[in-house]
Amino acid sequence: MELMAMNTGRQISTLRKQQGLTQNQLGEKLHVSFQAVSKWERGETLPDVSLLPDLARALGTSIDQILTGGSEMEKKKPEEYTRTITMDQMREGLACFERIGELLGKGSFFYKGAVGGVDFKMNIEFERYMADPYTREAMVVEAMEQAVMDGAYISPDDVRAGLQYPHWVENALDFIKKYGIE
């Protein structure tokens, strides 16, 4: 994840400069501080997943070009995928975090460590995101994207059927298309 954050940060910096924006100007467009933009560019944190569509628009690029540090994504043949996933599995995987809190207690080292790690690496408040249906779905899409980047296949029909918000459906379909999934 650290290498990803560094590559993503360099890409954000490069694209921001190409757009002729200062860190402060980019922050204003996204309603975040220039310090947040600075942390992204230094690879200390990643942008909040809910900001990615607006960040991509502000930088004149796509979300995957930001997150992959501008590198071309390798398209796979169907037989080269490591596994097949569903949106329900992504949703269930995220629900497992909540289940840890129910089973072991939210004060448990395991729960605090798992949620704290997600909060730090993704620059979010996991519990708050999971409580809101729109940002919860953003987390499901992010989990799906991570799985696809790791070699998983997902059916576009499953994406369409498995997501509620048209915005996230469009983003997810755009993302998987770049991995040769149509």
Side-chain angles (χ1 to χ4, degrees), residues 31 47 54 72 83 89 99 106 111 113 156 164 167 175:
H31 307 288
D54 293 331
E72 287 297 315
R83 64 190 175 118
Q89 288 172 327
R99 190 82 172 115
K106 291 195 175 188
Y111 179 77
Q164 173 184 354
H167 174 79
F175 181 86

Side-chain angles (χ1 to χ4, degrees), residues 73-147:
M73 291 173 275
E74 180 182 329
K75 292 185 179 182
K76 297 177 183 254
K77 297 176 186 160
E79 64 272 12
E80 294 177 323
Y81 291 99
T82 57
R83 64 190 175 118
T84 299
I85 60 169
T86 66
M87 296 309 290
D88 283 342
Q89 288 172 327
M90 301 300 100
R91 194 171 280 103
E92 183 181 347
L94 289 170
C96 285
F97 278 92
E98 294 171 312
R99 190 82 172 115
I100 292 169
E102 291 169 16
L103 294 172
L104 302 178
K106 291 195 175 188
S108 157
F109 174 78
F110 293 102
Y111 179 77
K112 285 183 174 182
V115 170
V118 171
D119 286 352
F120 176 75
K121 288 294 186 179
M122 294 183 72
N123 193 29
I124 63 168
E125 293 176 38
F126 181 78
E127 290 175 323
R128 184 174 58 86
Y129 268 59
M130 294 300 283
D132 176 78
Y134 184 77
T135 54
R136 184 183 190 98
E137 189 156 286
M139 297 292 290
V140 172
V141 171
E142 178 65 23
M144 180 275 301
E145 290 177 356
Q146 292 293 321

